[in-house]
Amino acid sequence: MAYLNESSDRSAQMPFRHVGRTLRRESGMNRRDHRARALHDDQAACEASGPLVIGFDPAWMGGDRHAMAWRRGRRVIKVESRINLDTMQSAGWLKQVIDADKPARVFVDVGGVGAGVYDRMREWGAPYGLIVVPVNFGSAPFEPAPLDERGRPSGGPLNRRAEMWMRTGEM
């Protein structure tokens, strides 16, 4: 288990998973407020630049949320979510956003129901099929894992999602 303080006195240590909860409780903010504040603080240091790019993570019926994020460069401009949309309603929402905002690219997570949304966008043809790009966040990373002294894979990101997250620190 990872601890915030690696001293030998275990009573002075706090597991990392408790840090966020403790900070939220002490600040009086709930989880959503805390995340929004962290996003705002991170964005204060970077300017919106470059073409509009949208990331879309479709869900399915039930309590799972469809999430869409608009960004320019490294700055997230806005995030919206919806619940209780089926695959065709989800594709319809994405089509409306593309028509209204004219993004340069839209990245759709195709690891689940997003494959149906992606297929529908391609079926509609230009401009939708030209700007929508499939991304499978659960797939293997593009870069091979580094090799240990015996030539076996050792370390590196577990999947495409982790690889993309790791690369954000390199920008």
Side-chain angles (χ1 to χ4, degrees):
M1 180 177 297
Y3 289 91
L4 181 61
N5 178 356
E6 291 297 335
S7 74
S8 59
D9 179 11
R10 289 280 182 211
S11 66
Q13 296 178 351
M14 175 184 290
F16 277 120
R17 69 176 188 272
H18 296 299
V19 173
R21 188 178 322 141
T22 302
L23 291 174
R24 284 191 303 275
R25 186 175 55 241
E26 290 176 0
S27 67
M29 291 191 277
N30 65 30
R31 182 179 298 236
R32 177 175 278 157
D33 292 339
H34 188 69
R35 285 182 181 159
R37 175 74 179 268
L39 180 63
H40 180 268
D41 290 347
D42 287 347
Q43 289 178 351
C46 66
E47 292 293 321
S49 63
L52 177 64
V53 176
I54 295 175
F56 186 44
D57 184 7
W60 201 58
M61 303 293 286
D64 215 3
R65 291 184 179 273
H66 302 261
M68 194 176 300
W70 289 252
R71 72 173 176 83
R72 288 189 183 274
R74 295 185 67 192
R75 181 166 184 137
V76 174
I77 299 165
K78 71 177 176 176
V79 175
E80 287 185 16
S81 65
R82 296 193 178 172
I83 57 172
N84 296 325
L85 300 179
D86 65 26
T87 305
M88 292 302 108
Q89 291 169 323
S90 180
W93 178 34
L94 182 56
K95 182 180 184 292
Q96 289 174 345
V97 168
I98 290 171
D99 289 341
D101 296 343
K102 311 277 190 261
R105 288 280 182 268
V106 176
F107 296 95
V108 178
D109 182 1
V110 296
V113 297
V117 173
Y118 173 74
D119 289 343
R120 184 69 172 146
M121 301 307 290
R122 287 196 44 217
E123 181 184 51
W124 280 331
Y128 316 104
L130 301 174
I131 65 170
V132 175
V133 178
V135 178
N136 187 344
F137 291 110
S139 68
F142 287 164
E143 294 289 323
L147 303 178
D148 65 11
E149 62 278 349
R150 294 183 185 146
R152 294 182 300 198
S154 173
L158 180 65
N159 56 29
R160 185 74 179 119
R161 177 183 296 111
E163 181 181 48
M164 292 169 72
W165 178 254
M166 186 178 76
R167 290 232 169 147
T168 61
E170 297 171 3
M171 298 175 107

